[in-house]
């Protein structure tokens, strides 16, 4: 009897100690009251600043400026509900000082609570060990299963409509996760108690800051400065137009390949994804391999670019090619086109072929680029008539604010790119990480309105690029089958923006020598994978394969970066070397230096 009584007492003490993690001490009530007062003051200051901003923007269309989304009645209601949630949450934890231990793990040892499926959102042990949270998690699982299964049972939908419904259902399911709410997330509750509410205040500060910016932050916005600790490879801007600047990087070898390399990055992002830091920089690595490297830095759109169309970007690529050929007195250049700039490079090559000028480009490398958009993935969900009409409204000032595009891309992986940061930044109040890749991801660019509508309509919706003669660029009908330039085509195994099956279609539409390489990881990490990191892998296979399945069946895996494989392919096109002198040194040829790299266009918001 004594032993039984002692064991029961020990279990009771353990339960109380564990439950204490969810309940503030009565001694902290004064501090919690102070926390609530500070939170209310923060919200009042935020609303005052928002009202002041609204006054300054009175002559603009508020709905078109993400920083004024709070002035929209729907989003204002959402913001008010979030503010109330924080007030109620703070009041809830304060009241727990005198409450009964609802979350006490008195039944934590009971059997029969199933472990959740592999889902990092529910990694905290209390999602299985605490009966209350286990019940919440299981209820959520059953609800989401029913929601997702119901989309399969809806009749009368075509393939596109069903895909949109399934996408919406997945996003709703992710949004409703109990991990996204402070009162149903055990880790958030414990953190609030441990920090005496300070974590909630920090999270509230993060949320209000993001609402003011109109953009979800993934990193500390002040952690990096372009040209200081990111995009630092030395070089000079040697040419500029109203649409782009051309950077010539400083060689680091005594000799370089005779044919220089021009990199065309996508203009929906900043070019320095290929020059994040010395350890990750594709630019720096290419220089070390003895390549003369030029980079195009596109201008972020503003009102003056309202009439910019696809022809202008094709003309810019041709201008860059001719500028470098003339500067270095070479007959041809190597080109890299990344994502949308790769799609445009294909159009440029087709136009040059039609004009008997294909010999200006010695080789073309495509990073995760598409020309046939039949299998373009979830982005095709955003090209129906309703969405295109919405984009036209949002672009009334002549350009689409880049924050809208960032929100679209984030929604494709909402669990990882939205709700993960809501939990970490807002609910847990964690410090922002200093991660250069995430900083780049949030450094958005604006898009010319006419080009954006044209691109989504002609390519994503109507898939006209692979129909010979259907599209004309700069007045020349294009036919991709006329492209005989040697091509290196890189795809990402897990790419959700330019899916593998879609990138493969380049192999079907080009007529010259083609080399296909499949890289591990996705749209960014699959490209930015320096050899020194010793990460991921790549696959090479039969370049004469008739289908992707045949290529995959023949593919051989190699560990590590694919960059060395690419440079060997590039040298195989021509290995002639020339000394670094005269125009090979930035600013020393007929094109004088305008300013130091990375230039001013990349810094314009």
């Amino acid at each position: 009897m004594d032993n039984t009584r002692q064991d029961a007492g020990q279990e009771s003490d353990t339960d109380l100690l564990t439950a204490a993690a969810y309940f503030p001490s009565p001694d902290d009530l004064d501090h919690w009251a102070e926390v609530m007062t500070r939170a209310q003051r923060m919200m009042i200051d935020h609303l005052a600043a928002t009202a002041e901003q609204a006054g300054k923007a009175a002559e603009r269309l508020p709905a078109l400026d993400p920083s004024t989304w709070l002035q929209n009645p729907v989003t204002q209601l959402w913001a008010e509900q979030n503010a109330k949630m924080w007030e109620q949450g703070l009041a809830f934890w304060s009241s727990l000082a005198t409450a009964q231990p609802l979350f006490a793990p008195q039944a934590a040892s009971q059997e029969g609570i199933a472990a959740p499926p592999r889902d990092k959102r529910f990694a905290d042990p209390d999602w299985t060990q605490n009966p209350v949270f286990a019940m919440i998690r299981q209820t959520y699982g059953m609800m989401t299963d029913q929601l997702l299964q119901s989309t399969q049972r809806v009749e009368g939908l075509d393939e596109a409509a069903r895909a949109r419904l399934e996408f919406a259902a997945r996003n709703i399911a992710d949004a409703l996760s109990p991990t996204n709410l402070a009162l149903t997330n055990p880790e958030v509750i414990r953190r609030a108690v441990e920090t005496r509410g300070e974590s909630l205040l920090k999270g509230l500060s993060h949320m209000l800051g993001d609402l003011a910016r109109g953009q979800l932050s993934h990193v500390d916005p002040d952690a990096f400065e372009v040209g200081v600790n990111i995009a630092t490879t030395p070089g000079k801007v040697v040419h500029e137009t109203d649409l782009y600047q051309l950077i010539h990087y400083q060689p680091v070898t005594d000799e370089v390949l005779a044919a220089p390399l021009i990199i065309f990055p996508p203009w929906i992002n900043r070019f320095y994804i290929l020059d994040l830091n010395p350890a990750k920089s594709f630019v720096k690595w290419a220089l070390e391999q003895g390549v003369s490297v030029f980079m195009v830095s596109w201008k972020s759109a503003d009102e003056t670019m309202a009439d910019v169309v696809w022809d202008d970007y094709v003309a810019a690529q041709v201008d860059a090619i001719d500028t470098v050929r003339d500067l270095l007195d070479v007959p041809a250049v190597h080109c890299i086109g990344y994502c949308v700039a790769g799609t445009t490079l294909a159009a440029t090559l087709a136009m040059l072929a039609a004009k008997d000028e294909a010999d200006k480009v010695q080789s073309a490398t495509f990073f995760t680029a598409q020309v046939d958009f039949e299998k373009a993935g979830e982005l095709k969900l955003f090209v129906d008539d309703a969405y295109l009409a919405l984009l036209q409204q949002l672009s009334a000032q002549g350009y689409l604010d880049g924050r809208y595009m960032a929100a679209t891309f984030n929604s494709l992986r909402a669990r990882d790119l939205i709700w993960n940061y809501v939990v970490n930044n807002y609910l847990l109040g964690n410090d922002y990480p200093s991660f250069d890749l995430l900083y780049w991801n949030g450094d958005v660019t604006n898009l010319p309105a006419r080009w954006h509508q044209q691109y989504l309509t002609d390519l994503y919706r109507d898939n006209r690029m692979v129909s010979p003669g259907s599209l004309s660029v700069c007045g020349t009908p294009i036919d991709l089958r006329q492209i005989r330039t040697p091509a290196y085509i890189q795809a990402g195994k897990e790419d959700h923006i330019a899916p593998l099956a879609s990138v493969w279609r380049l192999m079907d539409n080009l007529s010259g020598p083609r080399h296909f390489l499949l890289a591990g990881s996705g749209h960014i990490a699959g490209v930015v994978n320096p050899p020194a990191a010793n990460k991921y892998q790549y696959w090479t296979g039969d370049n004469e394969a008739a289908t992707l399945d045949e290529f995959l069946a023949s593919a051989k895996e190699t560990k590590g970066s694919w960059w060395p494989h690419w440079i060997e392919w590039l040298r195989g096109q021509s290995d002639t070397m020339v000394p670094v002198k005269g125009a090979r040194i930035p600013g020393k040829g007929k094109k004088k230096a305008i300013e130091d790299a990375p230039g001013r266009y990349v810094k314009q918001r």
Side-chain angles (χ1 to χ4, degrees), residues 120-141:
K120 63 183 180 181
R121 295 177 299 173
F122 299 99
D124 190 282
D126 273 347
W127 288 112
T128 54
Q129 296 176 6
N130 186 296
V132 173
F133 293 116
M135 180 185 67
I136 292 172
R137 185 260 306 165
Q138 289 178 323
T139 301
Y140 167 72

Side-chain angles (χ1 to χ4, degrees), residues 235-254:
K236 304 289 184 182
V237 174
V238 296
H239 177 69
E240 79 177 37
T241 71
D242 291 339
L243 193 55
Y244 78 95
Q245 289 188 312
L246 183 66
I247 301 170
H248 184 189
Y249 288 100
Q250 180 67 42
V252 297
T253 56
D254 294 332

Side-chain angles (χ1 to χ4, degrees), residues 298-359:
W298 302 105
K299 185 178 181 181
S300 180
D302 56 23
E303 294 89 345
T304 66
M305 296 171 63
D307 293 326
V308 168
V309 293
W310 202 25
D311 284 4
D312 296 298
Y313 285 101
V314 171
Q317 289 192 343
V318 174
D319 180 65
I321 290 168
D322 287 341
T323 297
V324 173
R325 289 174 60 246
D326 181 59
L327 172 64
L328 300 184
D329 192 21
V330 295
V333 300
H334 299 294
C335 292
I336 291 177
Y338 194 163
C339 188
V340 61
T343 304
T344 304
L345 178 59
T348 298
L349 293 174
M351 184 189 74
L352 292 176
K355 298 171 68 174
D356 294 325
E357 297 177 1
D359 57 355

